[in-house]
Amino acid sequence: MEFAVSYSTPYFGVDPDRVTAYARHAEACGFGAFYLPEHIAVHPGATVGTHEIPPALPYADPLDCLAFVAAATSRIVLGTAVLLLPYHHPVVLAKRLATVDVLSKGRMRLLTVGLGTLPGEARAVGVDFGTRGRRADEAIDVLRLLWEGGEEGVSFAGEFFAFEDLCSFPKPHGVTHLPIHVGGSSRAAARRAGRRGDGYFPGGMLTPDERARQWDLARSSAAEAGRDPDALEHTRWGSVDMTEDEVEAFAAQGVTRVVVSATSADAREQRDRLSAFARRFGLDRA
């Protein structure tokens, strides 16, 4: 079981010293990865389920922020939870991700992508909300094609993206493709993870039965696509106060990584809660 932390810029803020201090402390505690969320733009009245998103929350650009964190750390792996893939052009995104991976010496390895739930956000970036699933599938294919392509160039002709003899450099650090995990709370997301993803990171508001069904669906979809279901990573949100019994229950469900957040907005309390978690699970490497 691996353990990672999430930093919520909307609630913890974007003060650069606090962001880097949190990441450095997480790294010193022994956490393996550092995740950031994304919203490109929100608007008054935007809601996720029954929760209204305050429009002034500072959602920092996750990749820019992760590049900043990479320069202040040396080991911790970089991740998104989630990057809203349909709202990014994959030709631009391929270069951005590879650049962060190269500059971090191979740490941009937990990209988790999702579709987004705000129709207004989709309209703002010129994306048809109803086709964002197909657009995301195509974007994953484009990212991998560009990363593996050489100096001769690669071509693609799809519903949303098309190009001929295109070259994208730099390449990811020491690998052909960066892993792409799929996040979401729907069965469509689980199928996408199995067919195209390197892992599944389901949302937190699922019943135990639905969660189990979606993980089974991700695995069966991988097998149907001729992929190895045992190669899929299974990431879950957890609580910074979770017990050993809860972690063991996660492991029994096939979970391979747990992501927690310090929750408190107070910097000292954040450090204390991460430290306590690390001691409880023997993570401390400092």
Side-chain angles (χ1 to χ4, degrees):
M1 181 78 72
E2 297 180 12
F3 296 96
V5 298
S6 174
Y7 187 91
S8 176
T9 61
Y11 297 104
F12 298 159
V14 291
D15 179 89
D17 295 330
R18 289 195 62 176
V19 174
T20 54
Y22 187 102
R24 286 171 175 154
H25 185 70
E27 183 174 75
C29 283
F31 288 95
F34 179 93
Y35 282 84
L36 285 166
E38 177 177 51
H39 270 298
I40 294 173
V42 296
H43 54 83
T47 60
V48 176
T50 59
H51 174 67
E52 184 170 334
I53 304 175
L57 290 180
Y59 280 93
D61 181 277
L63 299 187
D64 290 343
C65 194
L66 288 172
F68 183 76
V69 166
T73 56
S74 60
R75 297 190 307 267
I76 204 161
V77 177
L78 311 171
T80 58
V82 294
L83 181 127
L84 303 179
L85 183 58
Y87 308 155
H88 294 267
H89 197 294
V91 174
V92 178
L93 186 61
K95 182 177 290 289
R96 292 186 69 199
L97 288 164
T99 299
V100 175
D101 193 60
V102 168
L103 294 178
S104 66
K105 300 181 180 179
R107 290 189 282 146
M108 186 65 247
R109 300 299 167 91
L110 285 173
L111 170 73
T112 307
V113 301
L115 300 188
T117 60
L118 302 178
E121 190 171 22
R123 287 194 299 271
V125 294
V127 171
D128 177 6
F129 189 74
T131 65
R132 71 197 192 288
R134 299 200 309 274
R135 190 180 183 97
D137 288 343
E138 200 168 287
I140 291 172
D141 295 342
V142 169
L143 288 172
R144 289 181 172 143
L145 179 66
L146 289 170
W147 287 330
E148 72 183 18
E151 294 181 22
E152 71 284 0
V154 292
S155 301
F156 187 88
E159 180 182 1
F160 304 99
F161 309 107
F163 48 82
E164 295 181 359
D165 302 330
L166 199 64
C167 302
S168 183
F169 289 84
K171 299 300 182 186
H173 182 76
V175 297
T176 302
H177 304 120
L178 296 179
I180 300 175
H181 296 236
V182 174
S185 299
S186 68
R187 297 184 187 184
R191 285 190 291 269
R192 181 171 294 109
R195 293 169 180 168
R196 280 182 165 82
D198 295 287
Y200 187 39
F201 191 165
M205 302 300 290
L206 297 172
T207 66
D209 286 346
E210 178 61 19
R211 195 177 295 284
R213 279 194 290 268
Q214 288 191 15
W215 179 236
D216 288 343
L217 181 57
R219 289 178 55 83
S220 63
S221 297
E224 291 167 5
R227 309 177 74 220
D228 180 7
D230 291 333
L232 280 178
E233 296 187 31
H234 186 186
T235 305
R236 284 272 298 278
W237 292 108
S239 166
V240 74
D241 298 317
M242 67 193 308
T243 65
E244 292 184 14
D245 287 345
E246 289 173 317
V247 169
E248 289 176 4
F250 271 27
Q253 297 165 30
V255 176
T256 53
R257 181 180 298 103
V258 175
V259 183
V260 302
S261 174
T263 64
S264 172
D266 180 79
R268 182 182 295 276
E269 289 183 12
Q270 288 177 348
R271 292 193 297 271
D272 290 346
R273 301 194 81 176
L274 293 182
S275 295
F277 186 98
R279 287 193 298 270
R280 190 158 63 251
F281 294 101
L283 306 186
D284 197 349
R285 298 180 303 196

